[in-house]
Amino acid sequence: MNNTILVTGGAGFIGSNFVLQWIANADARVVNLDLLTYAGNRRNLQSIEHHSRHVFVHGDICDESFVASLLREHQPRAIVHFAAESHVDRSIAGPAAFIRTNITGTYEMLQQVLRYWQALPEGDQSVFRFVHVSTDEVYGTLLPGEPAFNETTPHAPNSPYAASKASSDMLVRAWHHTYGLPVVTTNCSNNYGPWQFPEKLIPLMVLNALEGKPLPVYGDGLNVRDWLFVEDHCAAIRRVLEDGRIGQTYNIGGNSERSNIDVVTAICDILDELRPDPSIGGRRNLITYVKDRPGHDRRYAIDATKIARELNWVPEQPFESGIRKTIEWYLAHLDWVNDIRTGAYLNWIEQNYAERLAQ
Ligand code: NAD
Ligand code: TYD
């Protein structure tokens, strides 16, 4: 078997950070399978475009014969499965793509990977791993003061996105339990950092604030998320791939619970410092409370003691330095931003916010 891993969704936000970190730190080849939906962007991978250990393949995880031939051709020793539809608001506006990619796509991956794994020689079978990258949103919502989600918290998804990811977690679990496929699942909290598509809270607010546009805070702004710098998440996945126990689940989090309004005001203050603009004035004035997301989960919090204890992983980047780094990254990559603000992106922003801002 080759010293190769196969990553799905490696042109998206977390996947591209993972592939870049992998090339910088590991010695194995990475085959990067991505459909290049609106969320996938080859520019994220420009610095390793011609790297001898990176192979980009444009394709669909739902295409079973294509996935089967890719596995035959590259003989990976592990799969890291990121590919998904990932934005809650889009899942509310149009759930079909989430059912297709997150559920059917994971099923097709499991089936093809199982056939491939069953045909491997015994020694190769025992080192093989399928790492399934999932989210804390599968656990549902917490009230203030309730204990954080741990690995035994029952799945109780509330959005179409969360339901599709919970379904994929269940499929992965069953393929291990029934067929013995050597899987490990991770459930991580909200990521932020370089290359995040500006439909998500942090990059959307950074760019709107930079340009003096309204900052649309849903509901009362007191929903709480646990924020993890993306490079810490990628390092955790590498630890899970190396030493995670087969059939286990690991929660990954940043120990950084923040209300949305606290995140947005922090962004305003850092931008006022880095890019003062008298025509905008204090950017906190741009904050606009808008109509809430339907079914909006109140609070997520992760208990990450299991991965700390078993795999010696803890988050390294505190939120205060991570958010500053992220803002500086966006300021230095406005050409990337302009490149992805295509017609399709502008249509989504128009669709999602027109009605909310009219409140
Ligand atoms: P993203 O939306 O930025 O990227 C998803 C990538 O998957 C894109 O490159 C897209 O082109 C690709 N893709 C979509 N459908 C595909 C298909 N059918 N075949 C092949 N490729 C396809 O997502 P992200 O934020 O990088 O999230 C990656 C994974 O991590 C997802 O599984 C998500 O559920 C999980 N996750 C994300 C967060 C977060 O905060 N962003 C937190 C925890 C877990
Ligand atoms: P988001 O980045 O979409 O991640 P998720 O919904 O997966 O947690 O949103 C993070 C939080 O920010 C969530 O509570 C919804 C809120 N939010 C806003 O208040 N305004 C916005 O424009 C967006 C996109 C999100």
Side-chain angles (χ1 to χ4, degrees):
M1 192 162 42
N2 285 323
N3 190 17
T4 296
I5 67 163
L6 171 65
V7 165
T8 69
F13 164 47
I14 305 174
S16 58
N17 276 283
F18 180 86
V19 169
L20 292 168
Q21 195 182 89
W22 182 271
I23 291 295
N25 291 284
D27 60 3
R29 273 171 84 235
V30 52
V31 176
N32 184 351
L33 166 61
D34 197 295
L35 186 58
L36 297 177
T37 67
Y38 80 91
N41 188 348
R42 287 197 73 173
R43 274 194 73 168
N44 304 10
L45 304 160
Q46 215 163 26
S47 64
I48 53 165
E49 203 175 9
H50 303 295
H51 198 288
S52 58
R53 286 189 290 109
H54 178 235
V55 181
F56 182 81
V57 183
H58 184 201
D60 188 346
I61 58 166
C62 297
D63 182 342
E64 49 183 293
S65 56
F66 177 74
V67 171
S69 73
L70 201 64
L71 291 167
R72 262 196 313 275
E73 181 186 347
H74 293 285
Q75 300 280 309
R77 66 168 165 83
I79 317 283
V80 186
H81 179 41
F82 293 98
E85 290 290 333
S86 67
H87 187 35
V88 173
D89 292 319
R90 285 190 193 250
S91 83
I92 295 167
F98 290 72
I99 305 306
R100 178 185 185 275
T101 299
N102 300 2
I103 305 179
T104 308
T106 300
Y107 159 73
E108 295 294 1
M109 284 300 298
L110 287 167
Q111 277 294 74
Q112 298 317 314
V113 170
L114 177 64
R115 286 197 187 120
Y116 165 74
W117 175 76
Q118 283 172 333
L120 288 175
E122 225 171 86
D124 291 347
Q125 274 192 352
S126 65
V127 299
F128 186 84
R129 294 289 180 277
F130 182 96
V131 177
H132 175 58
V133 180
S134 191
T135 165
D136 60 358
E137 306 198 20
V138 300
Y139 296 123
T141 186
L142 293 168
L143 294 170
E146 273 190 298
F149 303 129
N150 65 34
E151 289 80 359
T152 63
T153 305
H155 281 29
N158 289 322
S159 70
Y161 165 65
S164 69
K165 290 297 292 188
S167 306
S168 69
D169 292 9
M170 298 302 176
L171 292 172
V172 170
R173 178 190 153 90
W175 260 242
H176 169 64
H177 191 81
T178 302
Y179 305 110
L181 189 69
V183 306
V184 192
T185 294
T186 60
N187 292 94
C188 186
S189 60
N190 285 58
N191 283 217
Y192 69 101
W195 314 111
Q196 187 166 31
F197 195 79
E199 64 188 355
K200 304 279 169 62
L201 178 74
I202 288 181
L204 182 103
M205 294 296 173
V206 170
L207 297 173
N208 279 18
L210 181 68
E211 293 166 359
K213 293 182 184 158
L215 306 179
V217 173
Y218 296 168
D220 62 7
L222 297 178
N223 300 67
V224 170
R225 298 292 183 264
D226 169 44
W227 292 98
L228 178 67
F229 193 62
V230 63
E231 289 172 14
D232 277 334
H233 185 192
C234 295
I237 293 169
R238 284 174 45 225
R239 285 296 300 125
V240 167
L241 183 55
E242 280 161 19
D243 288 323
R245 284 189 292 137
I246 290 173
Q248 294 287 309
T249 292
Y250 293 91
N251 279 1
I252 304 171
N255 292 326
S256 290
E257 282 186 59
R258 297 285 185 283
S259 67
N260 293 337
I261 193 65
D262 283 351
V263 171
V264 175
T265 51
I267 292 170
C268 290
D269 296 350
I270 295 170
L271 272 173
D272 284 348
E273 179 200 322
L274 295 178
R275 287 284 193 283
D277 185 338
S279 72
I280 297 173
R283 287 182 167 88
R284 289 186 184 209
N285 294 328
L286 299 170
I287 291 171
T288 311
Y289 289 93
V290 300
K291 190 173 163 192
D292 208 353
R293 172 187 282 172
H296 195 173
D297 283 339
R298 193 60 171 168
R299 173 175 166 245
Y300 303 140
I302 279 279
D303 174 351
T305 50
K306 179 176 173 182
I307 190 169
R309 189 179 62 241
E310 288 192 14
L311 303 180
N312 201 23
W313 175 88
V314 288
E316 283 179 6
Q317 185 74 242
F319 183 75
E320 284 61 36
S321 52
I323 190 78
R324 183 174 282 272
K325 242 174 130 166
T326 302
I327 293 171
E328 285 167 350
W329 186 90
Y330 277 91
L331 293 177
H333 290 80
L334 292 175
D335 54 337
W336 177 84
V337 170
N338 291 330
D339 220 49
I340 56 181
R341 280 170 154 175
T342 58
Y345 172 74
L346 296 173
N347 288 345
W348 164 253
I349 295 294
E350 168 68 19
Q351 180 190 333
N352 193 41
Y353 294 100
E355 190 202 336
R356 285 194 160 104
L357 288 173
Q359 288 295 298

